[in-house]
Amino acid sequence: YSTEQRGRPNTPDYRLYFKNADGKYISPFHDIPLFAGSKEDKEIPAKRSKTTGSEVLFNMIVEVPRWTNAKMEIATEEPLNPIKHDIKKGKLRYVANIFPHKGYIWNYGALPQTWEDPNHMDNSTGCCGDNDPIDVCEIGSKIHSSGEIVQVKVLGVLALVDEGETDWKIIAISADDPEAQKIHGKYLHISDVRKHKPGYLEATVDWFQLYKVPDGKPENHFAFNGEFKNKDFAVEIIKSTHEHWKALLHKKTDGGTIKCTNVLVSGSPFCCSEEDARSIVQSAPAFTNGDSVSPEVDSWYFFPK
């Protein structure tokens, strides 16, 4: 996959559109397979899933590189769902630094072809979904770029309850990370992650609990008393959100303002032509050297009490 930038970074017009290996504009939300398929299998969804040992690998779309503050996200309400800079009350959003951390403490992104249905109440949390693809925190050693597609192995999941909505946070590691073969997440509370990445899971809970406090909001809460569930539990959650996405793409459920425009999903009534996809991208503001750019805000540090 490759990306094409429209507009300038750190401006409201910035968009990052996606292309596949054939050079076709696609939706990262809908057209990139959830499961990392073998190279020769281009069907959507792939009939075979790529594995490393006994692990099934998933494709992760990186939205926010580790240590950065800009809140970048898949634009679920725009055709072809490019990555954009989140805006709230007319201002670009940047997360504060939660002491002692700098920005996002993982490569942060989402799994394609998943959807946390806002009309579906989760039996585990008692809350409905947050209307987005399922989120991923990639804990490997490399800093990945926004728009990069990374094949990851799932290790576990944290059940964040964000303003009354279920907001699952998948914990994963890049399959080619040097420590990927040591960490499996199959044990209770993913203790092997704690063994090889001491303090990382505790920092993750602290970060999600506090990251909205500098904006004047209360601390977030978690299901299961903030305990991480293991890989098997996480995979079942992913499969459930994948089924909700399938219903969305085939008009079996109401997606509201979600844009389901896609190029490759077989049988979807939202499938568009290659020409239509190109027109969508070309209608976005172009990148020019004369555009003004707002500098990235290196947010103040928030010191928890």
Side-chain angles (χ1 to χ4, degrees):
Y1 298 96
S2 61
T3 56
E4 180 176 315
Q5 178 179 319
R6 307 286 291 186
R8 296 293 295 269
N10 300 298
T11 71
D13 289 336
Y14 177 79
R15 297 292 185 275
L16 197 63
Y17 286 93
F18 287 71
K19 291 181 178 180
N20 66 5
D22 297 325
K24 295 179 181 179
Y25 291 108
I26 60 169
S27 160
F29 186 3
H30 306 306
D31 290 318
I32 294 176
L34 169 60
F35 298 96
S38 58
K39 290 182 179 179
E40 66 273 12
D41 189 350
K42 296 183 179 181
E43 292 192 27
I44 307 294
K47 290 181 179 179
R48 299 181 296 278
S49 300
K50 189 173 182 180
T51 62
T52 173
S54 60
E55 303 278 0
V56 175
L57 301 183
F58 297 87
N59 285 318
M60 171 191 176
I61 304 161
V62 178
E63 295 167 308
V64 186
R66 183 190 283 114
W67 311 137
T68 63
N69 297 76
K71 193 175 188 308
M72 310 302 295
E73 63 180 17
I74 292 171
T76 59
E77 298 183 359
E78 295 183 13
L80 294 186
N81 315 112
I83 289 177
K84 69 170 186 176
H85 199 141
D86 189 27
I87 298 175
K88 195 158 192 177
K89 296 181 179 178
K91 294 183 178 180
L92 300 175
R93 291 186 67 187
Y94 298 88
V95 299
N97 296 313
I98 306 298
F99 183 83
H101 312 298
K102 168 67 175 73
Y104 286 78
I105 62 175
W106 344 257
N107 295 298
Y108 190 70
L111 294 182
Q113 298 189 341
T114 63
W115 181 52
E116 296 188 67
D117 187 347
N119 299 308
H120 172 77
M121 180 175 290
D122 188 275
N123 293 330
S124 301
T125 66
C127 298
C128 294
D130 72 346
N131 205 30
D132 284 323
I134 198 166
D135 296 321
V136 186
C137 303
E138 193 279 320
I139 65 171
S141 56
K142 181 181 177 181
I143 297 176
H144 292 282
S145 303
S146 185
E148 194 172 343
I149 308 301
V150 180
Q151 295 183 348
V152 299
K153 58 185 285 188
V154 167
L155 304 173
V157 64
L158 179 66
L160 176 66
V161 178
D162 188 351
E163 299 183 33
E165 297 176 333
T166 301
D167 191 3
W168 295 104
K169 305 298 180 185
I170 299 294
I171 308 300
I173 188 168
S174 174
D176 62 3
D177 189 86
E179 294 190 291
Q181 296 306 313
K182 303 176 184 177
I183 305 175
H184 303 290
K186 60 185 178 182
Y187 305 109
L188 188 64
H189 308 320
I190 55 177
S191 58
D192 51 341
V193 179
R194 287 188 167 88
K195 177 182 177 181
H196 295 283
K197 299 274 188 179
Y200 212 161
L201 297 182
E202 291 78 6
T204 294
V205 172
D206 288 342
W207 197 95
F208 280 119
Q209 184 174 11
L210 297 170
Y211 83 104
K212 288 190 176 181
V213 173
D215 296 329
K217 294 185 177 181
E219 294 181 0
N220 279 323
H221 300 284
F222 307 91
F224 313 116
N225 296 315
E227 293 180 345
F228 289 82
K229 293 296 185 180
N230 69 7
K231 176 189 69 176
D232 292 340
F233 188 100
V235 169
E236 289 305 311
I237 294 297
I238 293 169
K239 289 179 179 178
S240 174
T241 60
H242 185 48
E243 292 303 314
H244 293 153
W245 170 84
K246 287 181 182 178
L248 176 70
L249 264 286
H250 291 88
K251 278 191 174 181
K252 294 180 179 179
T253 189
D254 181 14
T257 57
I258 295 287
K259 286 291 186 292
C260 299
T261 309
N262 68 85
V263 180
L264 301 173
V265 182
S266 177
S268 171
F270 301 102
C271 198
C272 74
S273 68
E274 185 178 348
E275 291 75 20
D276 288 339
R278 187 182 302 111
S279 296
I280 290 169
V281 176
Q282 292 176 346
S283 68
F287 177 96
T288 63
N289 291 329
D291 290 341
S292 60
V293 181
S294 302
E296 179 176 343
V297 177
D298 191 4
S299 304
W300 69 92
Y301 267 98
F302 171 70
F303 292 81
K305 293 181 181 178

